[in-house]
Amino acid sequence: MSISEPPHGTSSGAAADPASLPLQVRAGLGSGESFWHTKSAAGLPALTLTDGPHGVRVQPGLADHLGLAASAPATCFPPAAGLAQSWDRALVARVGRALADESRALGVGILLGPAVNIKRDPRCGRNFEYFSEDPFLSGTLGAAWVEGLQAGGVGASVKHFAANNAEYDRMRSDSRVGPRALREIYLKSFERVVTESRPWTVMCSYNKINGVYASENRWLLTDVLRHQWGFAGAVVSDWGAVTDRVAALVAGLDLAMPGGDPSLDADVVAAVEAGRLDPAVVDAAAVRVLTLLVRAAANTDPVVADLDAHHALAREAAGRSIALLKNTGDLLPLRADGALAVVGEFAVHPRYQGGGSSHVNAARLDIPLDEIRARAAGAVTYAPGYGSGDDPQRLIDDAVAGAAAADAAVVFLGLSDHAESEGYDRVDIALPAGQLRLLEAVAAAQPRTVVVLCHGGVVRLAEVDRLAAAVLDGALLGQGGGSAVADVLFGLVNPSGRLAETVPERLQDAPSFLNFPGEHSRVLYGEGIFVGYRGYDARAIEVTYPFGHGLSYTTFRYDTAAAAVEGEEIVVTVSLTNTGPRDGREVVQIYAAKPVSDIARAPQELRGFQVVDLARGATGAVTVRIPRADFAYWDDRVDDWVVEGGEYVLRIGSSSRNIVHTIAIHLDGDGVRVPLTENSTIGEVLADPVAGPRLISMFQQSAAAMPDQDSLGTGMLKMIESIPLGRLKLFGVALTREVLDHLLQADP
Ligand code: BGC
């Protein structure tokens, strides 16, 4: 047995032969040496893994997985909640590539990200680290991030696999998810990343999935991940997710982290020696870990990270991630020569990342107020507006006085570091009441009021939308956010961000509202596939801002759209014109609906998107190729993806609720054959291409025997089609065992 660099690696490496290593060493490779390091073996140096995802968190001293102890300075790019709003694959890949340089400069071989869990409920404390409520967007951006990172010779660790959608009791909670929701929503983003960008590692989550811990879940780690998706890398545990090393190994887990507890390796050795564990299982895991060491060792030539260039990229990414949610009377962009009142603590102490393991020690930080002052030609006043310790009424009065005297006010609102974090969930989605009182007072004194938002998880914006004339939402923007916000306010950047998560009117409207966070270490995913906009749309619920929404300082006209089925692809072409006053970017979104279906369907699902930059007055076209397979649903009767035949409607527009063109296409179905049993209904048997004709001829024979009855009339068939075949005999139909067996025989 030997290993060498696998086919998708970045370079070739030394071969190693685990068979020549003692059992203790082979077993030991399956757990780390210390908090952030693997062991070294076979002449290969140990490998460093560290967080991730939006910056490199290398801890030279004390180590922890909650972001408490100090870490080396690194570029803090926008966390996924912000970056996802760019809807820009190429930009996300560039961020990944820059992260690779910083990882290598800091001696890191694997960066722990991206996190592609679905934002199932707005309250999940870790939503800031996740991309979207939609699996296509999450998976597409996650795959781009991995491609960028791994192109720089650093491995990714796609996390947290799987169905880890709440922080409540996260190390024990059991996510009870039905097969369709699991495949179509929760596994889908991982499947896309694994199959498209071939990450070096996948990180299993803490929680259970349908009763079995992810770390011990053979169905998840081996059947689905390796056999069905073809994953060839190593499975790493989340930090502290493994309690039973032997069970985890058998399930397909290769590397248990953090390391440092030799007793866990001893358990593995003992199990092999007692004949309870096949040594081949230990060897297979050892090979995969050695392969990682080989890959990392092949990428150790020195790299110097250009922190200035990375800061510029962080700022560009932040600018692209800002969504303009509202802009009454074209208040934005602001005139540089007007007098401006800046209000809100976040203008001087910006909130730009989330709390917990991903917390980066930002190498630099742009302060919004400073950046606004640097771009303004007129007077800029500042009032904190809210904050601890001070008299709230006085703070509001000061802010109102400044706003009333200015030509416009820019009010920074949002959630503080303590309001949300890894490790706990929120109980509501409200902005602090004091901030809303402030906004009410400022907006009453100054109608030209702009709100700039910072938050990780979604916040209720009904009041903000009512009070503010313009709203900018960047979620969390990383260290370049301050300058990016100023760029957008003054029109140096034309905003093009789009929401990756619906902003509901009320928390109670969220599809998962009644099933979050669960109880007694169990959470039922009762809303099934109806997550995010799928659930709001299905129940026709008004939202404050829909999924995919975002405005621009220019306008776009969708001229024409066409779609054609070409073999195994649906090719959609959309032509559009920039009809407004400045250059800009549009994000063309394509949703698909299946109006007539045998299964429960969301009214529409995102199937493709493309950003397009158009100069003022220019016309351009985007072409989006959607694989036919992306139209499949998970059919749990046959445990497989199935494309249902018939008419689909492609809905093309600038957000999930601003659809401009609809195009009907026809797709041939997959002709799924569900194995028939005595419990199959007459309708199901009739639909079967082999058994159906047999049953009809049987009916025809009995009709011939009863000439006065129209045994095969449509009305008659409709009445009996829901009767299970085997129960016909209870109604006096002479169905012998032989006749039944003949009917149900699969072969023609
Ligand atoms: C988090 C992971 C992180 C790991 C190491 C865990 O608590 O869930 O996302 O990568 O710690 O810090």
Side-chain angles (χ1 to χ4, degrees):
M1 178 171 34
S2 70
I3 60 153
S4 58
E5 179 68 358
H8 303 289
T10 48
S11 58
S12 64
D17 184 1
S20 63
L21 304 172
L23 176 61
Q24 278 76 3
V25 174
R26 275 142 53 208
L29 274 167
S31 76
E33 174 70 27
S34 61
F35 206 86
W36 298 119
H37 302 101
T38 66
K39 299 184 173 103
S40 56
L44 294 159
L47 162 65
T48 303
L49 311 93
T50 202
D51 292 303
H54 61 271
V56 184
R57 186 172 70 101
V58 165
Q59 296 184 305
L62 288 179
D64 74 291
H65 64 299
L66 295 172
L68 302 175
S71 59
T75 304
C76 179
F77 291 98
L83 192 58
Q85 296 191 166
S86 72
W87 290 55
D88 185 335
R89 300 170 175 86
L91 177 70
V92 173
R94 282 168 60 212
V95 168
R97 184 66 186 76
L99 286 167
D101 281 356
E102 294 205 17
S103 299
R104 287 181 59 174
L106 290 165
V108 172
I110 290 182
L111 192 63
L112 303 174
V116 298
N117 296 95
I118 294 299
K119 299 185 196 216
R120 169 176 176 249
D121 187 282
R123 290 163 287 187
C124 171
R126 222 170 167 182
N127 275 356
F128 73 87
E129 217 174 317
Y130 302 147
F131 288 101
S132 177
E133 66 190 21
D134 179 81
F136 180 71
L137 185 59
S138 303
T140 302
L141 298 182
W145 191 96
V146 172
E147 270 158 32
L149 182 83
Q150 296 194 168
V154 173
S157 196
V158 189
K159 64 190 187 182
H160 310 85
F161 191 55
N164 176 191
N165 308 97
E167 291 300 281
Y168 161 77
D169 209 2
R170 67 172 169 158
M171 297 186 86
R172 300 185 307 176
S173 185
D174 182 10
S175 299
R176 300 275 174 105
V177 203
R180 264 194 79 195
L182 195 51
R183 294 288 185 152
E184 293 179 29
I185 307 287
Y186 297 101
L187 296 183
K188 195 70 200 175
S189 49
F190 288 95
E191 180 180 6
R192 192 166 288 280
V193 178
V194 165
T195 55
E196 285 187 2
S197 59
R198 301 184 179 274
W200 291 15
T201 69
V202 167
M203 182 195 289
C204 80
S205 55
Y206 289 125
N207 53 289
K208 295 177 186 160
I209 295 108
N210 293 326
V212 185
Y213 278 113
S215 64
E216 297 173 14
N217 199 318
R218 189 171 165 81
W219 172 81
L220 184 75
L221 303 184
T222 297
D223 298 351
V224 173
L225 182 63
R226 293 195 189 285
H227 296 165
Q228 294 173 14
W229 299 351
F231 178 64
V235 177
V236 179
S237 77
D238 199 344
W239 266 233
V242 174
T243 52
D244 183 335
R245 268 289 304 284
V246 175
L249 262 174
V250 171
L253 186 126
D254 304 305
L255 177 62
M257 292 299 287
D261 180 357
S263 70
L264 300 178
D265 300 339
D267 287 351
V268 174
V269 173
V272 171
E273 285 172 351
R276 284 184 285 113
L277 177 63
D278 181 351
V281 172
V282 179
D283 291 351
V287 167
R288 294 190 195 113
V289 175
L290 281 172
T291 302
L292 292 180
L293 302 193
V294 170
R295 281 179 152 176
N299 290 290
T300 47
D301 39 315
V303 168
V304 179
D306 182 343
L307 292 186
D308 290 336
H310 291 180
H311 183 72
L313 177 59
R315 171 179 167 180
E316 180 190 340
R320 282 286 174 223
S321 304
I322 295 172
L324 173 64
L325 300 184
K326 175 178 181 181
N327 195 16
T328 307
D330 289 339
L331 170 55
L332 291 177
L334 297 170
R335 286 176 44 167
D337 57 359
L340 201 60
V342 174
V343 175
E345 267 271 320
F346 289 125
V348 287
H349 296 119
R351 168 108 194 284
Y352 57 99
Q353 64 175 325
S357 60
S358 68
H359 199 269
V360 176
N361 176 7
R364 274 165 67 172
L365 183 61
D366 291 346
I367 304 298
L369 181 62
D370 297 346
E371 301 297 330
I372 289 171
R373 287 200 160 124
R375 288 159 186 73
V380 177
T381 62
Y382 167 69
Y386 47 83
S388 54
D390 283 305
D391 166 20
Q393 195 52 51
R394 189 184 58 73
L395 289 174
I396 291 181
D397 289 348
D398 287 352
V400 167
D407 294 316
V410 179
V411 184
F412 285 78
L413 302 179
L415 299 181
S416 67
D417 278 330
H418 303 296
E420 52 182 349
S421 166
E422 175 178 346
Y424 56 87
D425 299 313
R426 287 184 294 164
V427 292
D428 61 36
I429 58 167
L431 281 167
Q435 291 189 20
L436 292 176
R437 278 197 297 277
L438 168 76
L439 177 62
E440 182 135 40
V442 169
Q446 175 50 269
R448 292 163 55 80
T449 290
V450 182
V451 165
V452 179
L453 294 161
C454 59
H455 55 95
V458 75
V459 285
R460 176 178 145 90
L461 293 179
E463 290 88 357
V464 172
D465 181 62
R466 179 169 57 81
L467 295 167
V471 182
L472 288 180
D473 186 359
L476 297 175
L477 289 172
Q479 69 180 42
S483 45
V485 164
D487 288 343
V488 169
L489 283 172
F490 290 105
L492 305 171
V493 166
N494 185 354
S496 56
R498 298 305 166 90
L499 292 177
E501 181 179 8
T502 307
V503 181
E505 286 277 313
R506 312 172 310 153
L507 172 62
Q508 289 84 340
D509 294 340
S512 51
F513 179 69
L514 294 176
N515 285 302
F516 186 92
E519 60 210 3
H520 304 155
S521 304
R522 257 192 326 267
V523 52
L524 177 68
Y525 285 44
E527 69 286 353
I529 59 160
F530 296 98
V531 178
Y533 66 87
R534 289 166 168 79
Y536 295 107
D537 290 350
R539 294 173 300 151
I541 287 180
E542 284 303 315
V543 300
T544 308
Y545 298 113
F547 177 81
H549 172 71
L551 305 171
S552 166
Y553 295 156
T554 191
T555 48
F556 296 94
R557 185 182 67 224
Y558 282 63
D559 298 318
T560 56
V565 182
E566 294 179 5
E568 286 301 300
E569 276 184 343
I570 292 75
V571 183
V572 185
T573 309
V574 184
S575 120
L576 58 167
T577 303
N578 180 342
T579 50
R582 45 176 82 218
D583 300 353
R585 168 179 284 199
E586 175 67 329
V587 182
V588 176
Q589 300 163 40
I590 303 171
Y591 298 83
K594 178 100 178 61
V596 180
S597 174
D598 284 344
I599 57 160
R601 295 261 185 186
Q604 56 178 355
E605 297 182 281
L606 184 71
R607 294 287 182 237
F609 63 87
Q610 192 60 262
V611 297
V612 51
D613 293 303
L614 285 177
R616 183 179 133 191
T619 293
V622 295
T623 298
V624 178
R625 312 182 85 88
I626 309 172
R628 175 181 171 276
D630 282 3
F631 288 78
Y633 72 94
W634 183 259
D635 191 328
D636 59 4
R637 297 169 307 170
V638 290
D639 258 353
D640 207 352
W641 293 102
V642 170
V643 175
E644 193 183 13
E647 183 185 282
Y648 289 77
V649 176
L650 301 178
R651 298 163 53 80
I652 299 158
S654 64
S655 88
S656 62
R657 295 213 174 163
N658 184 29
I659 300 300
V660 188
H661 293 293
T662 55
I663 305 175
I665 56 165
H666 177 91
L667 294 184
D668 292 336
D670 278 340
V672 57
R673 278 197 74 193
V674 179
L676 296 174
T677 67
E678 285 185 39
N679 208 29
S680 303
T681 63
I682 291 182
E684 286 163 357
V685 177
L686 287 174
D688 186 272
V690 177
R694 282 190 199 135
L695 186 60
I696 292 210
S697 88
M698 199 186 103
F699 280 150
Q700 276 164 345
Q701 280 162 23
S702 36
M706 296 179 285
D708 54 324
Q709 289 191 28
D710 173 17
S711 319
L712 285 181
T714 356
M716 173 70 176
L717 274 184
K718 235 184 159 35
M719 280 198 309
I720 63 169
E721 97 191 341
S722 65
I723 301 178
L725 201 60
R727 295 205 214 162
L728 276 180
K729 58 178 181 292
L730 302 178
F731 301 110
V733 179
L735 262 187
T736 61
R737 182 76 263 158
E738 293 69 39
V739 175
L740 260 180
D741 286 348
H742 168 69
L743 257 178
L744 298 177
Q745 220 173 38
D747 303 325

